[in-house]
Amino acid sequence: LSESGVPQLVQPMIWDYAADLDVEGKVQLIEKYRRCGFSKVWFASAFKGATGVNQSLTLIGHHLKNHLQWLKVASNSPADVLEGIALTGWQRYDHFSVLCELLPVAVPSLAVCLQALEHGGYSEKIKENVEKLLGMSNLETETFMR
């Protein structure tokens, strides 16, 4: 790869939507990309639409955990390597499936994930901030929103 010149033309994106993604494995993957000449990488997470083909409601806790894992990957990687993170919100689990997790039911998940990334973690204060921003009295992250 380094001899091909590709690393000067593109930046790889590392995709993983798992709540328990392998932090050390991702850090090692970033190091492999660096050795090949890539100076920057992107991460790709999901705030909705990546947990099941027939999912109609968004389990916020799953996506929050995924973003917290990505923050660990970033903190264990060289400071200058991360170009950004793409928060995907899939409307279909795959191209052959019906629509899943429509945007309105996933807005609380998007807000939680964005706040966690902006603040470098998640706390009760951040939860309260999201509730205030969305006009909600009780944001549930480990059960489906009522």
Side-chain angles (χ1 to χ4, degrees), residues 59-105:
L59 187 55
I60 298 169
H62 173 90
H63 300 290
L64 173 59
K65 289 172 187 168
N66 175 254
H67 286 91
L68 295 175
Q69 292 295 93
W70 277 119
L71 287 170
K72 288 180 186 176
V73 174
S75 68
N76 287 297
S77 299
D80 62 339
V81 73
L82 180 60
E83 185 69 13
I85 183 167
L87 276 76
T88 63
W90 297 102
Q91 203 63 53
R92 285 187 167 85
Y93 190 73
D94 62 42
H95 296 291
F96 305 106
S97 300
V98 298
L99 296 177
C100 66
E101 294 183 63
L102 300 179
L103 181 60
V105 300

